[in-house]
Amino acid sequence: TVQPPDGAVHVVIGDVCGHGPDEAALGAALRIAWRALVLAGHTGNDLLRTLDTVLRNERKSSEIFTTLCTATIDPALHQASMHVAGHPPPVLVAGGTVQIVEGAPSGPPLGIFSDVDWHTIDVTLGDEWSLLLYTDGLIEATVNAARDPLGTDGLVRLVREQGVIDLERLIAQVKELHKEDLSDDLAAVLLSRRRRR
């Protein structure tokens, strides 16, 4: 996350395909590039195209791609503008409802197609909200004897059961349902705004 002097909050989560030190290094390079671009005032397609160029120049194989989700929350913390590049859609808890952010993905992953435009997903957050960005390791966990994945519907169900997003508890529940070590990396970022009482 980054918060420039204007008060907006910028957040990114991403997932480089594959496992190993090269992919981990590429993920770190993309995160640093994203931070530098945000601090330099880049947003939207300009930012994503530059990250795509960084990915293409730093990857070890032309088959490597990256999914990611970026969000910019306005300084008043009431609106978000998102880009979901082939990544799982965020979960939003606002106004007493739990829902998947509609309109995702807004375009393909980075590193696959050239000259791509990702459309912006505008989301009204309201006064009190929680926004969960996560990697597919969370929703690909299996939840029954048939080895069915949790999926986004299952994730929404677990959050509804909690009533709020308690990230540690949510991940513990997913691991308990999976009944063994998760087979994919899992990362999650939770942003929340609560009114002062």
Side-chain angles (χ1 to χ4, degrees), residues 91-169:
V91 173
L92 175 64
V93 178
T97 64
V98 180
Q99 63 187 10
I100 293 293
V101 171
E102 294 182 13
S106 57
L110 303 182
I112 295 181
F113 303 108
S114 299
D115 301 320
V116 172
D117 282 330
W118 292 268
H119 71 268
T120 302
I121 302 170
D122 291 315
V123 179
T124 299
L125 301 171
D127 292 329
E128 291 190 59
W129 50 267
S130 292
L131 184 65
L132 175 63
L133 285 65
Y134 55 93
T135 59
D136 61 2
L138 185 63
I139 57 173
E140 288 179 355
T142 57
V143 295
N144 54 32
R147 311 288 296 162
D148 293 324
L150 176 66
T152 54
D153 289 341
L155 179 59
V156 167
R157 181 181 47 78
L158 289 178
V159 172
R160 282 185 180 138
E161 288 171 3
Q162 284 187 359
V164 296
I165 301 176
D166 178 335
L167 195 49
E168 288 185 20
R169 186 170 150 220

Side-chain angles (χ1 to χ4, degrees), residues 18-57:
H19 299 277
D22 289 341
E23 290 80 5
L26 179 56
L30 290 169
R31 185 176 62 246
I32 292 166
W34 172 84
R35 179 182 286 278
L37 289 163
V38 167
L39 290 172
H42 297 272
T43 59
N45 279 297
D46 178 43
L47 181 144
L48 292 171
R49 282 192 199 102
T50 305
L51 286 178
D52 185 73
T53 300
V54 171
L55 169 66
R56 290 171 189 276
N57 284 301

Side-chain angles (χ1 to χ4, degrees), residues 7-28:
V9 176
H10 301 265
V11 61
V12 68
I13 193 163
D15 193 2
V16 176
C17 76
H19 299 277
D22 289 341
E23 290 80 5
L26 179 56

